[in-house]
Amino acid sequence: MRLSRAVRDTLVGALIAAGALASVVLFVTTTYFTVLCLIGIGFLALPHLTTAVRWVCDLNRRAAARSGVPVERPYRPEPEEIERDIVGWVRRCKWILADPASWRDLLWLLLNSVVGLLLGSAPAALLYYAGEGLVLAAGLWRPVAADGTGRWYAFITVDSWPAALAAALAALAVFAGWLHLSSWILKGHAYFVLFLLGPTQGARLASRVRHLAETRSGALDIQAAEVRRIERDLHDGAQARLVSLGLTLGAVDRQLDLNTEEARRLLNDARSSSVQALRELRGLVRGIHPPVLAERGLADAVRALGIASPLPVTVVADLPGKLPDPVESAIYFSVSELLTNALKHADAGQVEVSLHYADGVLHGQVTDDGRGGAAMSAGSGLEGIRRRLASFDGVLEIDSPRGGPTVMKMELPCALSSPKTSSS
């Protein structure tokens, strides 16, 4: 296990060293055309060079994440609706030059040409040096020492078999160092990447402000859509039935003295209409906040969804306390829609729902064995779920390869407000 990890680290380090050589070329070229922007010529090449620079930086961010040091992309979002002409090209260049992350990328390219080359090649150098010592100790020292001078290895002059044995022990020590130090060397490079290619505190705050603005807009849109839905349901359902009920009671009043049988029939119709209106009002209330959430909590409400689904649904919930009502409602309706998608679109045979709370975050996962291929697109139900969760600073992650299975992961930061009251 450790050997395979060291081999992979060595290969990744070699790629990092090769990228360090490319960093020199990118730094010189990008700096040259950035300077040429002062006279207008550099605007033609700068966007293409920036794409290449950010691609190389992203590769190093991935390598850092592989070493256990995740690095976020710090770039400002590209302006919307950039014209496809010279004016739009200039606007894109101004966006690049105004982004502090672009200048940090250039600084990183310059320093990485040294740091990346040294740290990236270090694992391969250790492995080579260990192999050299073992080969030397195996007998290569004899033709080398034929002139009477011997071969220098790790402070040992290898000119005899005892010295060769000492060199072999030193080579084994270097090999052990390669096994244990390769991952730490790459982690050192990962922290170097984090220091220069990660977002600064100001960039994080700006990104946070943009995220909050987007989620606030999404929450307002969701609220407006919900209000329109309630108005539509009231107008088409309960309101129409109540109007009909009023007309029926008026007819009863007119027929009460003239035709008792007809009045009795109209009263029965009015009773049926009132029952139906009450049923529709209850359904509307359940659509706003299902009573089972208030009465039994999120875990039992999701179990009720599983029981009501035509698909076999397994629910595993570990919620040690009461969640805020808006969070419960968001997760409940998200799970409900995901179960519907699994039934209608995924052709699934079974579904598993898991809910658990850890470190201030509610984690939800819906897994089905359907045909996969689910993707988030504008106007889709999954996009609606993402926007619903984003209004609580939550996220929706989709893993749905062709052929399945489909895994939907939801995370919502929240706080528990009371001990658990739902059944286990």
Side-chain angles (χ1 to χ4, degrees), residues 59-392:
L59 288 180
N60 282 270
R61 291 187 184 96
R62 293 179 188 175
R66 180 187 173 277
S67 298
V69 184
V71 182
E72 302 175 18
R73 298 183 90 240
Y75 307 115
R76 294 178 179 177
E78 185 174 356
E80 297 180 358
E81 300 180 356
I82 293 183
E83 300 84 354
R84 296 182 178 273
D85 53 18
I86 189 63
V87 176
W89 203 260
V90 172
R91 285 186 60 197
R92 183 176 283 106
C93 291
K94 288 182 177 179
W95 160 67
I96 292 171
L97 296 175
D99 191 346
S102 299
W103 301 99
R104 289 168 62 86
D105 285 351
L106 278 179
L107 178 60
W108 180 83
L109 288 175
L110 176 62
L111 299 180
N112 188 61
S113 60
V114 177
V115 177
L117 184 62
L118 292 178
L119 295 181
S121 60
L126 286 174
L127 181 61
Y128 172 82
Y129 197 58
E132 179 189 353
L134 292 176
V135 171
L136 188 66
L140 187 63
W141 64 272
R142 288 189 296 178
V144 173
D147 58 356
T149 59
R151 175 66 180 271
W152 187 263
Y153 182 82
F155 305 104
I156 300 170
T157 303
V158 184
D159 54 4
S160 63
W161 283 112
L165 178 60
L169 294 176
L172 291 175
V174 174
F175 184 79
W178 170 75
L179 284 177
H180 292 84
L181 295 179
S182 294
S183 60
W184 289 100
I185 292 173
L186 291 192
K187 183 164 286 190
H189 182 265
Y191 280 111
F192 166 68
V193 171
L194 177 63
F195 179 71
L196 282 178
L197 297 186
T200 62
Q201 187 64 24
R204 286 193 179 94
L205 290 175
S207 176
R208 179 66 174 167
V209 170
R210 287 194 301 268
H211 176 71
L212 291 176
E214 292 172 359
T215 56
R216 178 180 178 273
S217 176
L220 292 176
D221 291 342
I222 291 173
Q223 183 181 16
E226 190 72 8
V227 169
R228 288 193 298 270
R229 182 187 69 82
I230 294 171
E231 291 176 344
R232 183 179 62 252
D233 291 346
L234 284 173
H235 181 272
D236 297 340
Q239 179 178 333
R241 292 192 178 278
L242 291 175
V243 171
S244 175
L245 177 60
L247 295 175
T248 301
L249 291 176
V252 169
D253 183 56
R254 291 190 297 271
Q255 294 291 334
L256 193 59
D257 295 330
L258 301 176
N259 190 337
T260 305
E261 290 300 323
E262 180 64 17
R264 184 176 290 110
R265 186 187 67 80
L266 291 173
L267 282 174
N268 289 333
D269 291 345
R271 184 183 299 111
S272 299
S273 295
S274 66
V275 171
Q276 185 65 26
L278 182 59
R279 185 179 296 115
E280 290 176 354
L281 285 173
R282 286 174 176 170
L284 184 61
V285 170
R286 291 190 184 94
I288 299 172
H289 189 77
V292 68
L293 276 177
E295 297 169 1
R296 302 295 301 276
L298 178 61
D300 285 338
V302 172
R303 291 190 181 97
L305 286 175
I307 293 172
S309 175
L311 293 173
V313 179
T314 302
V315 178
V316 179
D318 181 17
L319 304 176
K322 179 72 170 64
L323 298 165
D325 289 343
V327 171
E328 287 189 338
S329 181
I331 284 289
Y332 175 86
F333 286 113
S334 297
V335 171
S336 176
E337 185 159 354
L338 292 176
L339 290 178
T340 301
N341 288 346
L343 176 64
K344 293 174 59 178
H345 306 298
D347 195 22
Q350 60 182 2
V351 183
E352 180 177 341
V353 181
S354 65
L355 299 170
H356 72 276
Y357 182 87
D359 301 326
V361 178
L362 173 62
H363 301 268
Q365 180 171 305
V366 179
T367 306
D368 69 67
D369 60 353
R371 57 173 170 258
M376 195 176 303
S377 58
S380 67
L382 294 177
E383 174 63 18
I385 294 174
R386 186 198 66 80
R387 294 179 63 188
R388 182 191 294 272
L389 299 181
S391 62
F392 297 93

